[in-house]
Amino acid sequence: MAQPVPVLLWAWGTLTALAGAAQGSFEVSVSPEAAVVEHGGSVWINCSTTCRDPGASGGLETSLIKTDRKNGSSWVAFRLLNIKEWASSPQCYFTCNGNIKLVTANISAYRAPERVVLEPLPEMELGQAYNVMCRVLNVAPVTHLTVTLRRGGETLHTETFQNHTGTGPDDITVITEITPQRSDHGQEITCHTALDLHGSHFENSSSAVELKVYGAAQGSFEVSVSPEAAMVEHGGSVWINCSTTCQVPGASGGLETSLIKTDRKNGSSWVAFRLVNIKEWASSPQCYFTCGGTIKLVTANISAYRAPERVVLEPLPEMELGQAYNVTCWVLNVAPVTHLTVTLRRGGETLHTETFQNHTGTGPDDITVITEITPQRSDHGQEITCHTALDLHGSHFKNSSSAVELKVYDLPEEPWLQTSRYIEVGARPLARCWVAGVFPVAGEARFTLSFGGVSLNFTVTTSGDTATAQGEVWSPSPGQHQLNCTVTVGPVSRSAGQSVLVYRLPEPVLEVTESRTLVNSSVTVTCRSPEADPPGVLLQLRDAERVLVSSAPTQPLVQLHLTAGEEDDGREFTCEARPDSGIPAVKRTSARLTVLYGPRMDDSGCPREWIWKEGTEETFSCLARGNPAPTVVCTKDGVSASIGVQRQVRREDAGTYHCKASNAHGSASRDVTVQVECKWPLVDPPAGDLEGGHANATKGFRSTG
């Protein structure tokens, strides 16, 4: 009967998923990707995503029964129970920022063999051929089934069903032919089944059927050998027993062989020899007996074996997600190869099993087994192993290779480059190159950053599954240069490039014929540019208000001719240079014009009349324009007056002030009259100011001195 195997419970939890796309994209994964469940059993399916959208939602589309939902920030898990579909493909999905992605799991239901039945065998005639038939009832999936027919401890026939079509349970019939010998009489035939489900094994066996073999007519004799087929370790020994049914007392027998015979033993109807140091990989010693002048002989088959000397798994390269790779296992110096089984496994999952029943040659050989895998993210860190089994009629010799770890890498998106398209000679702007979705971790990303074929110095930072390299871009020579960024993780490389124009734009030259000039003098302002690369510069000469003159693309300079006026004093001219090629750059040079002129006095700076009130605080002010700034002196009655000083107004301040402005270029004069509105004096007021016979003590009068 099949032995129960513990059901594997798939754990759920927060899965740290490394995204496989550029910023804003996302991936969906499912665990387990392939599950084998007992028919009518249950399994947990976990759906996870790398989406960073807090509003992301996910689920599982399936025709199976879902219960016991669990979820976290980036995962959701469902328990599927009462699974009775022999093959089903539930789909995990997530919605992220309006986009939907899904991934499919594969679930296979199994049923261990319900019964293993060996058909009854008839009584057999010596030397005739008969079929041995085994029926395996109600088993699934048949592609994972192995059926072995044995005679005693000897394997008669092994059959697998990897090419079987159909997913549901089926009844399997296995037939092999035997030709019974005398030594088979009383031996038991059995049928054994094994269902290998990715690390779980279900075995079952039939009841034994006894062989009944009957000889020829009375008066004849037979010769038999035991064992008929022997498997001996290379260099080892075996006893070969020759027996006869001859009843003649003088019957004699022996053993013809090229092997070394020692330790002969014999009885009335048998003789035995020990064969030692057997180094022939296949030999056929012959037992013979002489009975009444008649000689009969029978042949034994001796095979030497050598267990696998070494099992070597070829080192695996670092793998790119989704690409196909060969897994190669070498089994060294093994014999007989026809009895060898090689199995390649990933973790507890069987990837490939190979037998060699059609192998030719009897001696030891080196066997190579190759299978192809297409790694997924879930394979990263898994171990590949190669296992061998040499099945020698009941004796099993097993060996395994060292494990080789799978390293899976992915860069699902091209890198992004960010820098200016135009760089001035001598400038050192920053360039950034970043890539998202690095798997397994962003820290394993390796960058190369070059400009114009020269490697750049840069620093690398990581955030989540994104890696960024940043460095200064510069070139000592103008021209078109290529900025290249290559990102490598494991065997996967992605590159991005950008063309950058390095230009030279010298500071423009601004020349003024006389930056300090007299009023009404002629002045020429020249704006020009030294040679630029690429050639062609647009020039503009402007002041603070407007563009004064512009150049054509091939014009080497622009000029402005003017007659300096007082209003031009302090006027700033700017020479602007821009590349004609459309490069968004500008250089400026400025100069200020100084116009020298004599003093100018007007009402805005030096009013001709002031009217003050006696007792108030006032400031006498008289300013003059001129360059250089004029010196202003004001006198009253030959006495110098203070200018710009606040004072209390007295009636004595009234009068005419004579003001004179002077500088190196001339002078100007102006009379300024100050009137003071005075209070009534202590003397009698004028008659006209009397009202009702009383003086108005608060009404003042204007004094002009």
Side-chain angles (χ1 to χ4, degrees):
M1 295 297 292
Q3 297 300 314
V5 174
V7 177
L8 297 178
L9 298 179
W10 297 97
W12 60 84
T14 301
L15 299 179
T16 303
L18 300 175
Q23 187 174 2
S25 67
F26 69 103
E27 294 295 332
V28 176
S29 58
V30 62
S31 177
E33 294 180 354
V36 179
V37 184
E38 186 176 9
H39 188 256
S42 64
V43 66
W44 278 93
I45 298 294
N46 185 300
C47 306
S48 60
T49 182
T50 61
C51 176
R52 298 169 182 168
D53 177 15
S57 61
L60 184 70
E61 285 293 332
T62 179
S63 57
L64 303 174
I65 301 171
K66 294 185 293 187
T67 62
D68 303 334
R69 172 185 174 126
K70 297 178 182 287
N71 61 275
S73 61
S74 60
W75 61 273
V76 60
F78 297 88
R79 186 181 180 213
L80 307 180
L81 76 168
N82 196 24
I83 298 172
K84 293 188 176 180
E85 295 181 23
W86 296 102
S88 56
S89 301
Q91 291 183 316
C92 280
Y93 67 88
F94 269 89
T95 302
C96 178
N97 295 317
N99 296 319
I100 299 177
K101 282 192 176 182
L102 54 85
V103 65
T104 302
N106 293 305
I107 300 178
S108 300
Y110 73 85
R111 176 176 285 160
E114 190 174 274
R115 289 179 62 205
V116 182
V117 178
L118 194 61
E119 287 291 315
L121 294 172
E123 294 179 337
M124 297 182 177
E125 182 179 352
L126 182 73
Q128 298 298 313
Y130 295 87
N131 283 338
V132 177
M133 180 183 300
C134 175
R135 290 185 290 116
V136 184
L137 306 181
N138 206 19
V139 60
V142 175
T143 52
H144 290 246
L145 178 68
T146 301
V147 178
T148 302
L149 286 161
R150 291 188 182 139
R151 177 176 54 203
E154 175 190 1
T155 297
L156 292 174
H157 177 71
T158 297
E159 194 166 331
T160 57
F161 306 89
Q162 294 171 345
N163 297 323
H164 182 84
T165 58
T167 56
D170 207 347
D171 296 339
I172 299 299
T173 301
V174 175
I175 300 174
T176 191
E177 185 181 86
I178 63 171
T179 301
Q181 303 299 318
R182 288 177 180 262
S183 56
D184 292 332
H185 186 72
Q187 292 273 13
E188 289 186 338
I189 301 292
T190 50
C191 182
H192 305 267
T193 64
L195 195 64
D196 184 358
L197 302 172
H198 306 312
S200 298
H201 295 270
F202 296 88
E203 296 184 354
N204 204 348
S205 300
S206 70
S207 299
V209 174
E210 184 180 356
L211 287 175
K212 295 182 179 179
V213 183
Y214 297 91
Q218 188 175 2
S220 66
F221 74 100
E222 295 294 334
V223 176
S224 61
V225 62
S226 178
E228 291 180 353
M231 192 70 68
V232 183
E233 185 175 9
H234 188 256
S237 63
V238 66
W239 281 92
I240 298 295
N241 186 300
C242 304
S243 59
T244 183
T245 60
C246 177
Q247 303 299 318
V248 177
S252 62
L255 182 68
E256 286 293 331
T257 180
S258 58
L259 302 176
I260 301 172
K261 295 185 292 185
T262 62
D263 305 331
R264 172 183 174 130
K265 296 182 180 181
N266 60 277
S268 61
S269 60
W270 61 273
V271 60
F273 299 89
R274 186 180 181 215
L275 306 180
V276 296
N277 196 23
I278 298 173
K279 293 188 177 181
E280 295 181 21
W281 295 103
S283 56
S284 301
Q286 291 183 318
C287 281
Y288 65 88
F289 269 90
T290 301
C291 180
T294 302
I295 300 176
K296 282 192 176 182
L297 55 84
V298 66
T299 301
N301 293 306
I302 300 177
S303 298
Y305 73 85
R306 177 176 285 160
E309 189 174 276
R310 287 178 64 206
V311 182
V312 179
L313 195 60
E314 183 177 283
L316 293 173
E318 296 178 332
M319 297 181 175
E320 181 177 358
L321 180 75
Q323 298 297 313
Y325 294 86
N326 283 338
V327 177
T328 302
C329 178
W330 295 306
V331 184
L332 305 181
N333 207 19
V334 60
V337 175
T338 51
H339 289 246
L340 178 67
T341 300
V342 179
T343 302
L344 285 160
R345 291 188 182 135
R346 176 176 54 203
E349 175 190 2
T350 297
L351 292 174
H352 177 72
T353 298
E354 194 165 332
T355 57
F356 307 89
Q357 294 168 348
N358 297 323
H359 182 84
T360 58
T362 57
D365 206 347
D366 296 337
I367 298 299
T368 301
V369 174
I370 300 175
T371 192
E372 185 180 88
I373 64 170
T374 302
Q376 304 300 316
R377 292 193 175 213
S378 56
D379 293 330
H380 184 72
Q382 291 272 15
E383 290 187 337
I384 300 291
T385 50
C386 182
H387 305 265
T388 62
L390 195 64
D391 186 357
L392 304 172
H393 309 311
S395 298
H396 296 271
F397 297 89
K398 295 183 178 182
N399 204 348
S400 300
S401 70
S402 298
V404 175
E405 183 180 355
L406 284 176
K407 295 183 177 180
V408 183
Y409 298 89
D410 189 24
L411 277 178
E413 297 295 327
E414 301 296 329
W416 291 82
L417 265 176
Q418 183 183 56
T419 192
S420 174
R421 292 177 57 198
Y422 306 99
I423 298 175
E424 186 175 6
V425 170
R428 290 178 176 265
L430 289 177
R432 294 178 67 243
C433 177
W434 73 93
V435 64
V438 181
F439 182 86
V441 291
E444 293 200 27
R446 298 292 177 263
F447 287 83
T448 57
L449 203 60
S450 65
F451 186 61
V454 178
S455 295
L456 300 179
N457 293 324
F458 56 87
T459 58
V460 178
T461 58
T462 61
S463 176
D465 63 1
T466 300
T468 303
Q470 180 170 288
E472 290 183 343
V473 179
W474 70 280
S475 175
S477 58
Q480 204 76 33
H481 298 278
Q482 187 72 11
L483 175 64
N484 289 318
C485 175
T486 299
V487 188
T488 302
V489 57
V492 189
S493 290
R494 300 283 185 267
S495 297
Q498 179 177 321
S499 183
V500 176
L501 179 61
V502 179
Y503 66 91
R504 177 184 287 116
L505 181 63
E507 297 284 344
V509 178
L510 181 62
E511 297 171 336
V512 182
T513 51
E514 292 289 345
S515 60
R516 293 177 63 86
T517 187
L518 292 174
V519 68
N520 298 323
S521 298
S522 294
V523 176
T524 300
V525 183
T526 302
C527 171
R528 62 183 176 85
S529 174
E531 185 177 352
D533 192 342
V537 175
L538 296 174
L539 297 172
Q540 281 189 345
L541 181 61
R542 63 186 304 150
D543 62 10
E545 297 178 355
R546 60 191 176 89
V547 175
L548 303 174
V549 61
S550 298
S551 74
T554 58
Q555 188 175 340
L557 57 82
V558 292
Q559 286 185 323
L560 175 68
H561 302 283
L562 73 152
T563 300
E566 294 179 15
E567 69 279 4
D568 294 321
D569 183 40
R571 186 178 182 185
E572 186 175 62
F573 296 95
T574 300
C575 177
E576 290 187 351
R578 302 174 187 271
D580 180 42
S581 59
I583 298 172
V586 62
K587 291 289 184 69
R588 297 179 177 90
T589 302
S590 298
R592 194 177 297 275
L593 179 63
T594 300
V595 180
L596 304 175
Y597 59 93
R600 306 287 188 268
M601 304 181 77
D602 55 26
D603 288 345
S604 63
C606 189
R608 290 183 180 276
E609 185 179 29
W610 293 94
I611 299 175
W612 295 343
K613 289 184 179 182
E614 183 182 11
T616 62
E617 297 289 330
E618 296 289 351
T619 301
F620 184 83
S621 176
C622 182
L623 302 176
R625 290 181 292 106
N627 192 12
T631 300
V632 180
V633 176
C634 294
T635 62
K636 176 177 175 288
D637 301 330
V639 178
S640 178
S642 298
I643 300 174
V645 178
Q646 191 178 51
R647 58 189 175 183
Q648 190 175 45
V649 177
R650 300 173 303 165
R651 63 181 65 185
E652 291 84 358
D653 293 330
T656 299
Y657 293 77
H658 302 285
C659 295
K660 183 178 181 180
S662 303
N663 67 8
H665 302 286
S667 63
S669 298
R670 168 171 281 220
D671 286 341
V672 178
T673 301
V674 175
Q675 298 183 36
V676 177
E677 293 182 348
C678 302
K679 297 179 181 180
W680 286 112
L682 296 176
V683 299
D684 292 336
D689 286 331
L690 291 175
E691 296 181 6
H694 298 282
N696 186 347
T698 62
K699 183 175 182 181
F701 68 96
R702 183 171 296 171
S703 171
T704 60

